[in-house]
Amino acid sequence: MLAGKIMLESSAETYRVEDTMNRIAHSFGQKNPQSYATPTAINFSVDLMEPAIMMRIEKRTTDLNKIAEVNSVSRKIAEGQLNIEEALEALQTLEGQKFIYSDKVMVLIAALASGSFTIMFGGMWADFLPSLVAGGIGFIGFLWFDKLVEIRFISEFVASFIIGLLAILFVETGLGVELDKIIIGAVMPLVPGLHITNAVRDLLAGHLVAGLSKGVEALLTAFAIGAGIAVVLAFL
């Protein structure tokens, strides 16, 4: 259950979560473990005739490092390198670890990615710096508002709103050239690429409930980003 919880909170695909839980249970002698995961909850039973345990997943982020670490623990269990106490201790230590990157590093990466995406989408080099600044400040707004409110979609709306305002400011003052290219590049760090990928992979794996729910989540995120930009453009 702890392994599944860490993976779901780190945005792993649900079929991977279920597979990992079942493999760990098999490795510790359970013949017919039953696991069922959705983006917001896990149900697990060691056998068909045993009662199921349910755990809610309330907060989710993207941390591929933790997913890889849980998979590593799972492989060590399957190979007999860890007993159940050692495995539990390793997972508890992993659960307590903070995000691998600090907020400053994430803002720097988001800013550089914003400028790079602007060039990749056909923008001019004159728009690289405006997009870099807009993307970086917008991501700061996203991180700050995400800690202030629990609703992630509002944070994404605020971030895109800030990006839209800054993009218009840069173009109006002559520091930027193409408004659309600056906006497109700056919002890319907010785009839910991992959620879209996971939704497709879950659907292809036959996990229809999880796939559809992740697809809707990605759609709402895209709507929040688009709405933030649309509100700014509406007042031009």
Side-chain angles (χ1 to χ4, degrees):
M1 291 292 285
L2 182 56
K5 176 177 180 285
I6 295 171
M7 293 182 76
L8 273 185
E9 287 180 339
S10 303
S11 293
E13 309 96 312
T14 52
Y15 78 86
R16 187 189 300 273
V17 172
E18 294 178 0
D19 182 64
T20 299
M21 294 171 68
N22 288 338
R23 286 176 183 270
I24 292 174
H26 279 302
S27 299
F28 288 125
Q30 300 304 319
K31 302 296 183 183
N32 193 19
Q34 301 293 314
S35 61
Y36 177 70
T38 70
T40 55
I42 306 172
N43 289 278
F44 181 77
S45 173
V46 293
D47 195 88
L48 283 170
M49 300 304 293
E50 296 294 329
I53 304 170
M54 196 273 283
M55 181 184 291
R56 286 274 299 167
I57 306 298
E58 297 180 352
K59 186 73 174 177
R60 298 188 304 281
T61 184
T62 301
D63 193 340
L64 301 182
N65 180 65
K66 280 192 175 182
I67 297 173
E69 289 295 327
V70 173
N71 285 334
S72 176
V73 171
S74 174
R75 283 191 290 271
K76 288 178 180 178
I77 292 171
E79 293 168 1
Q81 298 179 23
L82 295 176
N83 60 35
I84 194 165
E85 289 81 11
E86 293 169 337
L88 179 60
E89 184 180 352
L91 290 172
Q92 287 173 336
T93 302
L94 182 60
E95 184 187 26
Q97 288 180 1
K98 293 184 178 180
F99 196 66
I100 191 171
Y101 298 114
S102 66
D103 287 352
K104 291 180 180 178
V105 173
M106 287 195 291
V107 169
L108 177 62
I109 293 171
L112 290 173
S114 298
S116 301
F117 274 118
T118 293
I119 302 302
M120 191 182 81
F121 289 132
M124 304 172 63
W125 279 103
D127 291 329
F128 179 84
L129 191 58
S131 181
L132 183 147
V133 174
I137 295 176
F139 202 78
I140 290 172
F142 168 74
L143 292 175
W144 175 75
F145 217 81
D146 193 43
K147 293 174 182 176
L148 197 64
V149 231
E150 291 295 323
I151 306 173
R152 189 179 180 90
F153 305 114
I154 296 179
S155 307
E156 289 154 349
F157 172 85
V158 171
S160 61
F161 183 83
I162 293 171
I163 289 170
L165 283 177
L166 289 173
I168 291 172
L169 178 65
F170 285 132
V171 172
E172 291 295 323
T173 55
L175 296 174
V177 181
E178 296 181 275
L179 179 64
D180 57 336
K181 297 296 192 300
I182 296 173
I183 290 175
I184 291 170
V187 300
M188 282 305 292
L190 303 174
V191 172
L194 182 64
H195 293 299
I196 295 171
T197 304
N198 285 352
V200 173
R201 292 186 69 178
D202 278 333
L203 286 171
L204 292 176
H207 292 250
L208 302 181
V209 174
L212 289 174
S213 61
K214 286 183 179 179
V216 170
E217 184 179 6
L219 184 64
L220 287 173
T221 298
F223 175 78
I225 296 170
I229 298 297
V231 168
V232 175
L233 296 178
F235 289 100
L236 276 178

